[in-house]
């Protein structure tokens, strides 16, 4: 189910992503803040499973409610610890039992995994589509999965030793352009940025060329020079004073500046670039010399966009003009072009040879619609971007680690069954928390049954019976169909999840529950409400009996 939130700026957030919901919530309790940090960590590590972590950790401790995978799992683990704590079991014993259960759970999940051929596009699309099937963009068919897969395969590169680097955060930029429809979305294999002279197949950003009327807007096979130094005379410091004794001194000062700029431009012109891009300023005089030489220029570009251009075109970002060499010029771009879309100019650097950076263009709401309608459509476009981020996270995980496990709660139920059976062989008090960890994992299939409107008790009973029929040591692939609530074979249904997401979810949830279980007191640095005329009180310790729920802790 989708959640509609009102962010601090008055905008509407429409999503069912756990991390997206939690980051819009303002909380003051330190334990709640740590749970929200869990969601952020899970999203940064694997880009998926944020809701499950919180729910599972909370079930082990019963701290608040949860919303997605990390959130669900963490909450369930915390809730399971409550009856054990009421029987005066020490938290350290609980932590040992949970840690032991974590090790066995990871082994069971790995035993159920199998590898997929990352070069098989149809199989990769099926996996990505199954992982984002509950998102808002599922109504657009396989569009988001195709965009995510194209972006990840463009950015991925081998780093040796059988390892692959997939940095979608820095080199796969998502750009939203008002106008058009969702079906107009596409992946540009290069660079695209919003300006008056453009670059396609890479990065996209909002800028303009220095001299729009005189610099070329279309260049085939451009030679690109990237700088992070200014092309203007260095200004003096705020306390700089120049004493001029006669009129000729002022002319000499201006001539010195002009000669420096002319010399810097002459060094650039000698390398014969077609396009110069700098992160710093570019003076009118420098623009004159470059225009005279037939060179287009773009100034004050973001560092991240400059890095994407360098990766797509093979150029090297130079820090000083004196150090520029022929080998620093980027020559892998096939076309530099400026295109006007709606009321703005967009720069494209496209048709790059083996680009390792890309731009994903999202089309959505029109600027001409009414303000309220535009705000809602903009929220939809933001949700599309968020779903695409999740899809790219799934595709990245598969490219880095191609092992998959059945979805639909099959892994959680299999792990729960294994831990419950093994708990009978564990001696001592650790058997209790060990078994509780296994039972907490059932929260994932239980949540799936709740979300699809099925009879939760009857569905879970059928799923337990199905797994109990499977011989010990054999992986049972049966899970819950998230649309109908039926018990189906996840292999036949084609519902898979990356192993790295599943293991990271379980690890984060258990470690978060262990961290919170070790806390026995909350020390507040602010005082409670004071009586009239009373003096300020010092720091206080809140135990479980005198906690003030109305007390606000500082950010």
């Amino acid at each position: 189910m989708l959640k509609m939130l009102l962010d601090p700026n008055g905008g509407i957030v429409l999503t069912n992503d756990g991390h997206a919901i939690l980051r819009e919530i303002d909380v003051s309790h330190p334990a709640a803040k740590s749970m929200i940090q869990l969601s952020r960590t899970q999203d940064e590590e694997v880009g998926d499973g944020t809701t499950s972590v919180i729910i599972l950790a909370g079930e082990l401790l019963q701290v608040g409610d949860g919303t997605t995978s990390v959130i669900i799992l963490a909450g369930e683990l915390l809730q399971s610890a409550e009856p054990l704590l009421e029987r005066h079991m020490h938290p350290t014993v609980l932590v040992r039992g949970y840690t032991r259960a974590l090790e066995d759970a990871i082994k069971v999940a790995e035993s159920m995994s199998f590898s997929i051929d990352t070069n098989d596009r149809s199989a990769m699309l099926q996996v990505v589509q199954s992982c984002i099937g509950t998102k808002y963009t599922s109504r657009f068919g396989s569009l988001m999965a195709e965009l995510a897969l194209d972006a990840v395969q463009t950015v991925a590169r081998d780093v040796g030793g059988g390892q692959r680097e997939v940095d979608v955060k820095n080199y796969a930029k998502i750009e939203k352009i008002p106008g058009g429809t969702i079906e107009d979305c596409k992946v540009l294999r290069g660079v695209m940025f919003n300006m008056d002279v453009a670059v396609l197949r890479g990065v996209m950003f909002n800028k303009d060329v220095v001299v729009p009327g005189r610099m070329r807007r279309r260049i085939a096979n451009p030679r690109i020079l990237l700088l992070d130094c200014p092309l203007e005379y260095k200004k003096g410091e705020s306390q700089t004073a120049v004493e001029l004794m006669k009129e000729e001194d002022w002319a000499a000062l201006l001539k010195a500046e002009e000669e420096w700029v002319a010399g810097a431009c002459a060094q650039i012109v000698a390398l014969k670039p077609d396009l110069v891009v700098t992160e710093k300023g570019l003076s009118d005089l420098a623009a004159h010399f470059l225009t005279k030489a037939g060179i287009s220029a773009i100034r004050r570009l973001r560092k991240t966009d400059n890095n994407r251009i360098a990766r797509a075109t093979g150029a090297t970002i130079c820090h000083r003009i004196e150090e520029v060499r022929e080998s620093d010029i980027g020559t892998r771009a096939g076309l530099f072009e400026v295109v006007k879309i709606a009321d703005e100019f967009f720069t494209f650097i496209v048709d790059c040879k083996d680009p390792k950076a890309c731009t994903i263009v999202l089309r959505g709401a029109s600027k001409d619609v009414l303000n309220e309608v535009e705000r809602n459509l903009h929220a939809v476009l933001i949700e599309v971007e968020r779903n695409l981020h999740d899809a790219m996270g799934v595709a990245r995980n598969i490219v880095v680690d191609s092992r998959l496990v059945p979805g639909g709660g099959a892994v959680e139920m299999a792990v729960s069954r294994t831990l419950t059976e093994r708990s009978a062989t564990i001696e001592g008090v650790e058997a209790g928390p060990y078994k509780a960890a296994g039972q907490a994992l059932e929260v994932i299939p239980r949540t799936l049954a709740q979300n699809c409107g099925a009879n939760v008790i009857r569905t879970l009973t059928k799923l337990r019976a199905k797994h109990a029929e499977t011989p010990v040591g054999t992986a049972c692939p049966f899970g819950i169909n998230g649309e109908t609530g039926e018990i189906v074979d996840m292999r036949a249904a084609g519902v898979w999840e990356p192993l790295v997401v599943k293991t990271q979810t379980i690890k984060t949830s258990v470690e978060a529950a262990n961290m919170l279980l070790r806390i026995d007191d909350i020390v507040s640095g602010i005082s409670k409400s004071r009586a009239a005329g009373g003096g300020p009180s010092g720091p206080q310790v809140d135990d479980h009996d005198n906690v003030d729920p109305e007390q606000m802790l500082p950010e």
Side-chain angles (χ1 to χ4, degrees), residues 439-454:
Q439 294 174 342
L441 284 165
E442 291 187 0
V443 69
I444 301 298
R446 183 167 71 241
T447 304
L448 287 174
Q450 290 173 346
N451 287 342
C452 65

Side-chain angles (χ1 to χ4, degrees), residues 456-471:
V456 178
I457 297 177
R458 185 173 300 173
T459 303
L460 279 184
T461 302
K462 290 181 180 179
L463 185 59
R464 289 194 196 101
K466 203 67 166 176
H467 279 257
E469 295 172 359
T470 306

Side-chain angles (χ1 to χ4, degrees), residues 1-252:
M1 303 297 289
L2 293 174
K3 305 292 187 296
M4 182 176 288
L5 306 175
L6 191 66
D7 63 20
N9 297 325
I12 296 175
V13 178
L14 185 69
T15 182
N16 64 353
D17 182 76
H19 174 60
I21 295 172
L22 287 182
R23 70 186 178 195
E24 300 292 343
I25 297 176
D26 185 20
V27 298
S28 58
H29 198 283
K33 286 190 175 184
S34 67
M35 298 290 280
I36 293 177
Q37 183 62 36
L38 284 180
S39 174
R40 184 180 298 113
T41 301
Q42 179 79 2
D43 187 69
E44 292 176 355
E45 285 292 326
V46 293
D48 197 11
T50 53
T51 310
S52 297
V53 169
I54 301 299
I55 293 182
L56 181 56
E59 187 72 8
L60 287 175
L61 240 173
Q62 198 174 6
V63 170
D65 62 347
T67 46
T68 359
S69 282
V70 176
I71 307 169
I72 296 175
L73 209 46
E76 190 76 8
L77 289 168
L78 294 174
Q79 185 176 355
S80 299
E82 185 180 22
L84 298 175
L85 292 172
E86 290 176 351
R87 295 204 295 265
H88 304 290
M89 182 177 290
H90 198 277
T92 304
V93 178
L94 286 173
V95 170
R96 287 203 304 267
Y98 280 171
T99 303
R100 188 170 179 178
L102 170 62
E103 296 173 356
D104 292 343
I106 298 300
K107 292 178 182 178
V108 174
E110 291 178 347
S111 67
M112 298 180 65
S113 66
F114 73 99
S115 296
I116 185 177
D117 183 8
T118 56
N119 296 321
D120 187 349
R121 182 176 178 82
S122 61
M124 291 283 288
L125 283 174
Q126 183 180 5
V127 174
V128 177
Q129 185 66 24
S130 67
C131 291
I132 62 172
T134 60
K135 303 296 183 180
Y136 171 83
T137 53
S138 60
R139 67 189 64 189
F140 303 119
S142 61
L143 176 62
M144 288 298 115
E146 292 177 353
L147 290 176
L149 188 57
D150 289 340
V152 168
Q153 290 179 341
T154 300
V155 172
R157 68 173 184 174
D158 295 325
V159 294
Q163 300 294 322
R164 303 191 73 185
E165 178 195 65
V166 186
D167 191 353
V168 295
K169 182 177 181 180
N170 293 320
Y171 297 111
K173 183 179 181 181
I174 301 175
E175 194 71 32
K176 302 183 292 293
I177 304 178
T181 63
I182 295 295
E183 287 73 13
D184 294 331
C185 300
K186 58 183 177 179
V187 174
L188 308 176
R189 299 185 61 206
V191 181
M192 174 182 177
F193 42 92
N194 188 357
M195 20 182 37
D196 205 324
V197 181
V199 182
L200 186 55
R201 291 182 67 180
V203 183
M204 175 179 180
F205 38 89
N206 192 354
K207 281 287 181 181
D208 195 0
V209 287
V210 181
V211 188
R214 300 174 60 189
M215 291 182 174
R216 291 181 291 172
R217 293 184 174 180
R218 180 183 175 87
I219 304 174
N221 300 317
R223 291 167 53 85
I224 301 175
L225 174 62
L226 303 180
L227 303 172
D228 69 349
C229 58
L231 280 174
E232 56 187 357
Y233 195 77
K234 184 178 180 180
K235 304 295 188 300
E237 300 295 337
S238 58
Q239 301 298 324
T240 301
V242 178
E243 184 177 354
L244 302 177
M245 303 301 295
K246 50 186 177 180
E247 184 178 353
E248 291 78 8
D249 293 342
W250 175 250

